[in-house]
Amino acid sequence: MDPLSATFAALADPTRRAILARLADGEATVAELTEPFDMTTQAVSKHLRVLEEAGLISRGRRAQWRPSRLREDALDDATDWLEHHRAAFRQRFDALDREIAAMRKDEGNQRWEPLS
Amino acid sequence: MGTTELIVEPGRQDVVVVHDFEVPPELAFRAYTDPALMPRWKGSERFAVVVDEHDLRVGGRWRLVMTRADGTEYPMRGVFHEVSAPHRLVSTLEFEPGGPGALQLVVETFEPTPTGCRLTSVSLFASVEDRDGWVPSGGLESGTRASMAMLDEVLAS
């Protein structure tokens, strides 16, 4: 999976979005993240692994605690990508509008300035 | 320039594009369906467009190839199901290698407005999964609204 697909796939899950929302307030350990959810530590760990693989969070290397941290630049990449494609779509229609304007001008010339 | 809106609602199996033209439906329809013009507006900096076939009549086939700068080709094709110039066009669309999105039914309507006309293009997929599969990798926007809503939710909290 390419990085952006991984990001969007990771964001598609409500629990993972809730985890990200919690991490937006600051780093947290697995135990702290498990607390508000009706879930096992293993289940939360699994979600954290998906978020880490998607580049949305980074995790400390202290084996016992491994606090998770939100990587805001990854969210920026996702937003940029959406904006890029949205812009590409607009550009296409702007290009079509220009072609139509050109067509109109040509036809106007034919109509009003016939070749003699 | 007219305005363009792209609507990708979460959980639905369609993608809707709305564009307001500043010309009447007759002219907009003619330009939109002119294969000679397509290479000049359907491509982008990243993709060149070549129209292979464009038989604009009921049962007629169309085929175009989008080519990326590195030479990778993305051929797509379909059949026109209804051609009611200048108001309505119904066609199918699919990637030739059976790519993302599988088969789409595309209904395009041109309605007169006080300033010109409005094109509403509805691409209907067989399932939400097909739609979501098409949106990120098809060169269109990713599940734009869905994803933006998710991002908003995360960033607002």
Side-chain angles (χ1 to χ4, degrees):
Chain A
M1 209 189 285
D2 66 274
L4 278 169
S5 300
T7 303
F8 287 117
L11 285 170
D13 181 89
T15 304
R16 288 197 286 271
R17 294 204 295 279
I19 290 174
L20 287 175
R22 164 64 188 82
L23 291 176
D25 295 336
E27 64 174 40
T29 62
V30 178
E32 287 166 329
L33 289 170
T34 305
E35 215 179 67
F37 300 106
D38 188 17
M39 274 192 188
T40 61
T41 312
Q42 285 101 313
V44 169
S45 290
K46 212 179 251 178
H47 283 305
L48 289 173
R49 203 155 51 235
V50 174
L51 289 169
E52 189 177 21
E53 278 163 15
L56 284 163
I57 63 166
S58 60
R59 302 180 74 186
R61 291 296 153 213
R62 284 179 297 159
Q64 191 103 48
W65 304 103
R66 303 205 64 199
S68 300
R69 199 174 295 120
L70 185 65
R71 282 192 53 211
E72 283 170 29
D73 50 332
L75 283 176
D76 287 347
D77 287 348
T79 318
D80 285 352
W81 183 81
L82 288 174
E83 274 312 310
H84 168 77
H85 283 274
R86 203 180 267 254
F89 212 84
R90 288 219 176 90
Q91 272 168 26
R92 270 189 180 178
F93 273 101
D94 286 351
L96 178 58
D97 285 342
R98 279 195 295 275
E99 293 299 331
I100 290 174
M103 266 169 76
R104 238 185 165 183
K105 208 173 151 208
D106 286 350
E107 285 171 11
N109 287 344
Q110 278 163 23
R111 201 171 306 142
W112 304 116
E113 293 167 20
L115 296 172
S116 51
Chain B
M1 291 288 155
T3 54
T4 307
E5 203 193 339
L6 179 94
I7 304 158
V8 186
E9 296 275 6
R12 286 178 59 94
Q13 58 206 75
D14 60 8
V15 171
V16 181
V17 178
V18 179
H19 180 73
D20 287 318
F21 289 99
E22 288 162 357
V23 295
E26 291 73 19
L27 186 50
F29 188 94
R30 190 146 58 88
Y32 191 74
T33 56
D34 184 347
L37 288 182
M38 286 174 188
R40 284 147 68 177
W41 69 272
K42 280 208 166 189
S44 65
E45 306 96 61
R46 295 169 61 219
F47 291 95
V49 166
V50 174
V51 180
D52 259 1
E53 199 175 4
H54 200 270
D55 186 10
L56 187 66
R57 57 189 170 135
V58 175
R61 285 145 50 115
W62 66 268
R63 182 179 190 271
L64 69 79
V65 181
M66 301 188 83
T67 307
R68 212 164 59 179
D70 68 1
T72 312
E73 292 190 342
Y74 298 84
M76 47 190 83
R77 67 170 174 212
V79 174
F80 294 105
H81 181 80
E82 181 187 335
V83 181
S84 306
H87 298 298
R88 198 170 133 95
L89 197 59
V90 180
S91 58
T92 55
L93 183 160
E94 68 182 332
F95 267 116
E96 245 168 43
L103 188 67
Q104 309 173 28
L105 180 68
V106 184
V107 179
E108 288 154 322
T109 52
F110 293 78
E111 292 161 304
T113 60
T115 52
C117 68
R118 166 169 287 190
L119 163 65
T120 305
S121 169
V122 178
S123 295
L124 183 66
F125 296 77
S127 66
V128 177
E129 290 70 31
D130 277 359
R131 197 278 309 257
D132 290 348
W134 161 265
V135 168
S137 45
L140 275 174
E141 284 73 337
S142 155
T144 310
R145 285 216 172 158
S147 306
M148 288 313 272
M150 290 175 195
L151 287 176
D152 287 346
E153 197 182 306
V154 169
L155 296 174
S157 56

